């Protein structure tokens, strides 16, 4: 229950309550994405929301929850005539599990009726069940990309279109979309982030008294659930009534032109892409005014809406963290807080004649207060600091000494990432859907059929009919239905792409520490990390230098964490190559036990030198059978070919560091070589 949770105990839950309320007041806002660490009541508060929504009138017997006052003219169960309510029920709360199929989400041909009655009928999915209610997706960042695309398209259009298995259906699908995610488990793509109307960051309070109050209330609920609910029933009812009043007020709320120009000026100043941010902010500001009982949008409404609608849309680079400079927002709102049109000779709505505010966003190629990461960290990888370029222009030192270049523990900068070649794991796997290696997946292209080994999950209708057809007379068929037996069933064999575990093993020793070369190495690895992000891989990072090797990043779906560790990676010391290989073998052994279906790809970044840490040949033998790539970092006019020999021991593909970017630009023409 929403009001029973002490919001001060979780930083950001007041914003979450407001964001959910605005969407409950006006579904046009476009849903809420809740980002936060585990154990912060994200799921609890979302599930409590549905109980606060007003009940809905539905047409009796309609599987698509049509409103009897204005039934959907294209409803598959229709047509319905407008009239009095046939039934009244609470607003639905539908949960979409991470492992759901496309059929379960959008619906599909009713196979049972098709095969037994010979009729073509549609079986609705979760989008139909969520119409006029709440659709909740826990761990939305782990949902398959194609399901997220379908989900957000339906949420944006308010309509679900189904074109599959000779079924062509359109039905209304207007719902309050709420997704929750833990950023530690990986980010959503920026294109998908933009499709959520509002976003909220939550984290647990560190105040002992506030945390104790959470535990106290939970213990009280566990001891006497009915008594606990009755204690807060009045507050819950008041909240539901306030939502209903605000919903009724929304159509009459006026958005003055001055406030609309203010919204446009703020969105332009923060350099968000497209116009969706303007539309969402306008709808959220209207809902906020209705929530507070106002008939006209004010600057305070615009500010509240912008705080929730803009942070995730300012993510310019996949490794950027969402965030918003609220002091800059206040400054922009103060500059545009008037009802008179701006002078056309000025720099545009809300921009003073001499250009953007001094502390505002700078040019696209310069990080500024409006484009910082929001956490004091490095600027985006695509916008390196000047001293990174200065470091890259320094001359390379001689690689014969482990202490050449930077002193032990110094950190080299990173330049802008570039496109890299596609590095694949040979063969065909059966891992989770992704975009790297060939795999038999549930969502690829159909390549054939087979007898199912258990329950049929993806029926191959044509193959099933063909298997059963020759036996109909012998089975005594007399009616229109097809007589089937279990051994007639066939399921689709599909081939698509899978995500892999990409384990980076990076030589950070003194032989690599010449500033220009280490900058190039870090940039190459960052480029590979960006590629892993786009291909939905898990990544891990092992580094070796000095006395041994360490797992700088255990295998994770959060590629952003890998980029952060890479940027702060120190260099210098001796080169324990064997120790790095042994550590990599151990990481892969443990990961095979945890996730046996995900195939690994080892990316070893080194010049091949080994001046400490055991027998390289014996260490390489531990990685036998692992798909590997050696990025050869050796440079200079005289080369020893040590990385070439190492690649031969590992049976790995060899990619010269200085050719990495060039290979990426021609990869489409050389897939076989990859």
């Amino acid at each position: 229950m929403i009001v029973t949770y002490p919001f001060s105990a979780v930083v950001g839950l007041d914003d979450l309550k407001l964001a959910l309320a605005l969407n409950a007041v006006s579904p046009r806002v476009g849903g809420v994405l809740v980002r936060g660490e585990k154990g912060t009541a994200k799921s609890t508060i979302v599930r409590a929301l549905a109980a606060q929504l007003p009940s809905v009138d539905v047409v009796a017997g309609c599987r698509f929850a049509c409103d009897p006052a204005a039934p959907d003219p294209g409803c598959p169960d229709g047509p319905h005539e407008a009239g009095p309510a046939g039934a009244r029920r609470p607003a639905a709360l539908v949960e979409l599990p991470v492992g759901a199929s496309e059929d379960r989400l959008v619906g599909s041909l009713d196979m049972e009726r098709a095969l037994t009655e010979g009729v073509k009928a549609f079986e609705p999915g979760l989008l139909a069940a969520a119409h006029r209610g709440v659709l909740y997706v826990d761990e939305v960042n782990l949902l398959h990309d194609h399901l997220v695309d379908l989900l957000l398209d339906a949420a944006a259009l308010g309509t679900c279109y189904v074109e599959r298995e000779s079924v062509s259906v359109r039905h209304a699908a207007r719902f309050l979309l709420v997704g929750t995610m833990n950023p530690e488990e990986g980010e959503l793509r920026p294109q998908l982030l933009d499709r959520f109307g509002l976003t909220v960051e939550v984290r647990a309070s560190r105040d002992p008294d506030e945390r104790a109050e959470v535990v106290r209330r939970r213990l009280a609920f566990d001891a006497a659930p009915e008594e606990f609910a009755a204690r807060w029933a009045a507050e819950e009812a008041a909240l539901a009534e306030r939502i209903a009043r605000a919903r009724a007020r929304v159509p009459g709320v006026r958005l003055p032109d001055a406030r609309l120009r203010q919204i446009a000026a703020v969105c332009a100043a923060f350099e968000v892409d497209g116009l969706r941010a303007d539309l969402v902010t306008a709808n959220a500001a209207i809902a906020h005014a209705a929530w507070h009982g106002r008939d006209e949008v004010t600057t305070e409404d615009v500010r509240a809406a912008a705080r929730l609608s803009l942070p995730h849309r300012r993510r310019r680079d996949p490794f950027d963290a969402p965030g918003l400079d609220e002091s800059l927002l206040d400054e922009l709102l103060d500059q545009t807080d008037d009802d008179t049109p701006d002078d056309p000779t000025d720099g545009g709505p809300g921009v003073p004649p001499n250009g953007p505010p001094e502390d505002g966003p700078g040019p696209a190629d310069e990080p500024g207060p409006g484009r910082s990461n929001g956490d004091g960290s490095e600027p985006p990888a695509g916008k390196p600091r000047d001293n990174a370029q200065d470091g890259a222009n320094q001359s390379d030192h001689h690689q014969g000494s482990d202490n050449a270049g930077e002193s032990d523990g110094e950190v080299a900068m990173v330049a802008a990432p570039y496109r890299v070649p596609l590095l694949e794991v040979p063969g065909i796997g059966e891992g989770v859907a992704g975009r790297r290696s060939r795999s038999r997946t549930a969502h690829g292209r159909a390549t054939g059929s087979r007898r199912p080994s258990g329950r049929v999950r993806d029926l191959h209708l044509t193959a099933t009919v063909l298997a059963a057809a020759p036996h109909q007379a012998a089975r005594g068929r007399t009616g229109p239905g097809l007589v089937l037996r279990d051994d007639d069933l066939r399921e689709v064999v599909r081939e698509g792409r899978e995500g892999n575990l990409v384990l980076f093993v990076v030589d950070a020793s003194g032989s690599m520490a010449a500033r220009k070369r280490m900058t190039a190495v870090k940039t190459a690895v960052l480029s590979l990390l960006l590629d892993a992000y786009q291909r939905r891989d898990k990544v891990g990072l092992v580094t070796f230098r000095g006395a041994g090797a360490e797992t700088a990043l255990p295998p994770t779906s959060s590629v952003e964490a890998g980029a952060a560790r890479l940027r702060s990676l120190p260099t210098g010391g001796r080169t324990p190559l064997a120790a790095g290989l042994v550590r990599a073998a151990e990481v892969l052994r443990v990961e095979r036990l945890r996730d046996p279906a995900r195939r690994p790809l080892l990316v070893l970044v080194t010049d091949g030198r080994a001046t400490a840490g055991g027998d390289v040949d014996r260490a390489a033998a531990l990685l036998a059978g692992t798909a590997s790539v050696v990025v050869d970092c050796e440079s200079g006019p005289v080369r020893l070919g040590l990385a070439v020999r190492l690649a031969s021991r590992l049976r790995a593909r060899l990619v010269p560091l200085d050719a990495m970017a060039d290979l990426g630009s021609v990869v489409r023409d050389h897939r076989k070589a990859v």
Side-chain angles (χ1 to χ4, degrees):
M1 292 175 284
I2 292 180
V3 298
T4 66
Y5 201 92
F7 286 91
S8 59
V10 176
V11 179
L13 272 181
D14 284 324
D15 284 344
L16 175 55
K17 181 179 178 180
L18 176 61
L20 292 172
L22 296 183
N23 275 272
V25 169
S26 176
R28 290 184 178 181
V29 172
V32 184
L33 176 64
V34 188
R35 298 163 44 91
E37 58 194 22
K38 52 187 175 291
T40 49
K42 300 187 297 293
S43 301
T44 301
I45 190 172
V46 171
R47 292 190 175 99
L49 172 68
Q52 314 308 316
L53 298 179
S55 297
V56 295
D57 295 325
V58 298
V59 174
C62 178
R63 297 173 298 167
F64 300 87
C66 279
D67 185 352
D72 178 12
C75 176
D77 284 355
H80 307 298
E81 293 185 3
R88 188 172 182 81
R89 62 166 175 77
L93 172 64
V94 176
E95 298 191 37
L96 175 63
V98 170
S101 65
E102 186 174 337
D103 289 348
R104 188 74 184 96
L105 178 63
V106 301
S108 65
L109 181 69
D110 189 329
M111 293 296 182
E112 182 178 352
R113 294 190 62 189
L115 295 175
T116 59
E117 301 177 25
V119 298
K120 183 170 66 174
F122 177 68
E123 183 178 4
L126 294 178
L127 292 181
H131 180 47
R132 305 176 67 200
V134 179
L135 181 61
Y136 171 48
V137 188
D138 194 13
E139 305 295 352
V140 65
N141 52 322
L142 303 182
L143 197 65
H144 291 313
D145 284 350
H146 76 286
L147 293 182
V148 177
D149 291 334
L150 291 171
L151 178 64
L152 296 180
D153 282 343
L157 298 173
T159 304
C160 176
Y161 293 91
V162 185
E163 300 286 345
R164 53 186 306 160
E165 289 122 1
S166 74
V167 172
S168 179
V169 171
R170 181 208 66 81
H171 66 81
R174 293 184 294 275
F175 47 81
L176 196 169
L177 175 63
V178 183
T180 58
M181 60 174 284
N182 183 349
E184 295 176 356
E185 297 173 338
E187 287 282 2
L188 279 173
R189 290 178 290 150
Q191 297 91 330
L192 300 182
L193 278 174
D194 184 55
R195 301 298 291 273
F196 281 94
L198 310 179
T199 187
V200 179
E201 295 268 355
V202 295
R203 57 183 175 84
S205 169
R206 300 297 183 258
D207 187 299
D209 292 335
E210 294 173 349
R211 298 171 72 97
E213 180 61 22
V214 174
V215 176
R216 188 177 297 114
R217 294 192 187 184
R218 178 55 194 254
L219 293 176
F221 174 80
D222 291 342
E226 294 81 6
E227 181 181 334
F228 186 85
R231 176 184 173 188
W232 297 96
E235 287 83 351
E236 296 280 338
L239 178 59
E241 177 61 25
R242 183 178 180 184
I243 291 174
R245 289 198 308 269
R247 273 191 174 185
R249 186 182 293 273
V250 165
V253 175
R254 190 174 72 90
L255 178 62
D257 190 63
R259 301 286 79 77
L260 180 57
R261 289 171 59 82
Q262 197 172 42
I263 291 170
V266 168
C267 293
F270 279 111
E271 298 183 346
V272 295
D273 295 331
L275 293 173
R276 184 175 284 117
D278 305 61
L279 293 169
V280 169
T281 306
N283 283 316
I286 292 171
H288 190 268
W291 178 246
H292 287 278
R294 291 189 284 270
D295 293 324
E296 183 174 297
V297 174
T298 66
T299 296
E300 181 56 34
D301 298 320
V302 174
R303 184 184 189 280
R307 286 182 59 251
L308 300 173
S309 65
L310 296 185
H312 59 302
R313 293 186 166 86
R314 294 188 55 256
R315 193 173 177 224
R316 316 293 297 190
D317 185 274
F319 298 142
D320 290 347
L324 188 71
D325 186 340
E326 292 198 22
S327 62
L328 177 59
L329 173 62
D330 290 336
E331 184 177 344
L332 291 167
L333 291 173
D334 289 342
Q335 292 173 356
T336 56
D337 190 12
D338 61 78
D339 294 323
T340 58
D342 291 310
D343 188 329
T345 61
D346 292 349
V351 181
N354 294 329
E358 187 173 332
D359 293 332
D365 60 348
E366 296 179 7
R371 295 173 63 87
S372 67
N373 286 354
D375 57 0
S377 61
E378 299 255 352
K383 303 169 182 61
R385 294 175 177 169
D386 291 342
N387 56 0
Q389 296 297 331
D390 294 342
N393 292 331
Q394 293 182 8
S395 60
D396 199 352
H397 293 274
H398 192 275
Q399 63 183 17
S401 169
D402 279 324
N403 296 320
E406 301 178 29
S407 61
D408 186 25
E410 190 171 340
V411 177
M413 294 300 178
V414 184
Y418 45 77
R419 183 183 297 276
V420 297
L422 172 61
L423 305 176
E424 294 180 282
V425 178
I428 300 179
E430 296 184 350
V432 297
R435 300 176 183 174
R436 183 171 298 279
S437 304
R438 294 175 61 195
S439 174
R440 294 187 180 92
T441 68
H443 306 290
R445 60 185 178 87
T447 59
S449 64
R450 64 185 174 192
R451 291 180 184 270
S453 57
R455 179 184 174 186
V456 179
R457 298 185 179 276
D458 190 2
L459 182 69
H460 196 302
L461 182 58
T462 302
T464 298
V465 171
L466 289 175
H471 310 291
Q472 295 305 294
R475 294 173 184 175
R477 172 182 169 182
T478 57
L482 196 65
V483 181
L484 288 176
R485 293 180 179 172
D486 289 344
D487 58 356
D488 296 328
L489 297 178
R490 301 291 186 272
E491 64 182 6
V492 180
V493 175
R494 299 183 182 275
E495 183 176 311
R497 291 277 170 177
E498 66 177 359
N500 298 113
L501 165 61
V502 182
L503 181 63
F504 295 95
V505 182
V506 180
D507 183 349
S509 65
S511 68
M512 299 283 292
R515 184 179 296 273
K516 179 179 178 181
R517 181 147 34 92
M518 200 59 205
T519 293
V521 167
K522 282 191 172 185
T523 302
V525 178
L526 185 68
S527 302
L528 290 164
L529 276 169
L530 179 60
D531 181 67
Y533 167 87
Q534 294 168 340
R535 299 188 187 281
R536 318 308 287 171
D537 294 318
K538 288 180 70 173
V539 298
L541 178 63
V542 171
T543 63
F544 57 94
R545 58 183 288 267
E550 66 171 349
T551 305
L553 180 72
T556 174
S557 295
S558 179
V559 179
E560 295 81 0
R565 301 289 174 88
L566 177 70
R567 289 193 178 102
S568 61
L569 177 66
T571 60
R574 298 178 66 81
T575 311
L577 175 58
L581 298 177
V582 170
R583 177 58 63 93
E586 177 62 19
V587 170
L588 293 179
R589 184 189 67 80
V590 173
E591 196 62 20
R592 285 191 186 99
L593 297 176
R594 292 176 177 171
D595 192 356
R598 190 183 290 268
R599 297 188 295 163
L601 175 65
L602 179 74
V603 179
L604 177 59
V605 184
T606 181
D607 59 4
R609 288 172 54 85
T611 60
D615 189 332
V616 173
D617 286 336
R618 293 182 61 185
L622 298 175
L623 295 165
T626 302
S628 304
V629 176
V630 174
V631 180
D632 183 3
C633 301
E634 192 173 25
S635 62
V638 178
R639 306 196 181 194
L640 304 178
L642 300 175
V644 177
R645 279 179 249 171
L646 179 60
S648 178
R649 292 173 192 157
L650 294 172
R651 297 179 181 270
R653 179 190 173 190
L654 184 72
V655 180
L657 175 64
D658 53 9
M660 181 75 73
D662 295 335
L663 283 171
S665 64
V666 298
V667 66
R668 289 185 298 273
D669 298 328
H670 297 277
R671 282 290 174 89
K672 290 184 179 180
V674 175

